[in-house]
Amino acid sequence: MAALDDLVSKAKELADTVGKATGELVDDSRIKLQELKLNSELKDAYERLGSVTYDAMKNGVENKALMDLVVSEIDGILQSLEQLKTVKMTPAPEEKYCPQCGTTNGSDAVYCLRCGAPLSMAAPESPAAEPAPETEA
């Protein structure tokens, strides 16, 4: 009977691990889809800027307000892409970072779910800003 209980326990652990991995895959897919959408919007905005610039040069009439509007749209899209990259690269505090492949794993994981490497290292620290050297006046 103990063997059956142990088997059920192992099956539950495996199901939890698979559930976590599936959740991570869904999150990664959602982020990649957002990134593709933003890149498409950025391409369209650059094309609009080029068209406005071309029309201004061709007709000799500059539409500064329209150019400023498109440039601010491009800036907004670039900022959204940077925020998305930050979310993509930052593992949650309760996760472990794989030193081999970079995959984030649950806090209770001993081996990486993707490559099987041992998870003995903590998440990489962001480099601390070094103080500027003091100059003598």
Side-chain angles (χ1 to χ4, degrees):
M1 190 67 169
L4 182 60
D5 289 340
D6 190 39
L7 182 62
V8 169
S9 173
K10 295 288 184 189
K12 285 181 182 178
E13 287 177 25
L14 181 60
D16 287 344
T17 302
V18 168
K20 286 178 186 178
T22 302
E24 288 177 10
L25 182 61
V26 168
D27 288 343
D28 287 347
S29 297
R30 180 186 52 79
I31 289 172
K32 286 178 183 175
L33 185 61
Q34 286 176 339
E35 187 176 17
L36 285 172
K37 181 181 174 215
L38 286 170
N39 280 322
S40 176
E41 290 175 8
L42 183 62
K43 179 182 173 266
D44 292 344
Y46 278 131
E47 287 176 1
R48 279 192 302 279
L49 182 60
S51 178
V52 169
T53 304
Y54 175 81
D55 289 343
M57 292 183 76
K58 180 86 172 171
N59 299 324
V61 178
E62 186 175 312
N63 190 343
K64 178 105 170 92
L66 184 56
M67 284 183 175
D68 289 343
L69 181 66
V70 176
V71 167
S72 67
E73 180 183 356
I74 290 171
D75 289 342
I77 294 169
L78 290 172
Q79 184 179 21
S80 296
L81 278 169
E82 281 302 314
Q83 289 172 347
L84 195 59
K85 285 179 185 175
T86 302
V87 168
K88 190 173 164 180
M89 300 301 280
T90 307
E94 67 275 359
E95 296 177 331
K96 288 183 181 176
Y97 172 80
C98 177
Q100 286 292 101
C101 68
T103 301
T104 54
N105 297 272
S107 61
D108 57 343
V110 178
Y111 295 96
C112 177
L113 294 173
R114 177 179 273 166
C115 71
L119 299 174
S120 59
M121 294 180 60
E125 298 289 327
S126 55
E130 294 182 20
E134 295 182 21
T135 57
E136 295 181 23

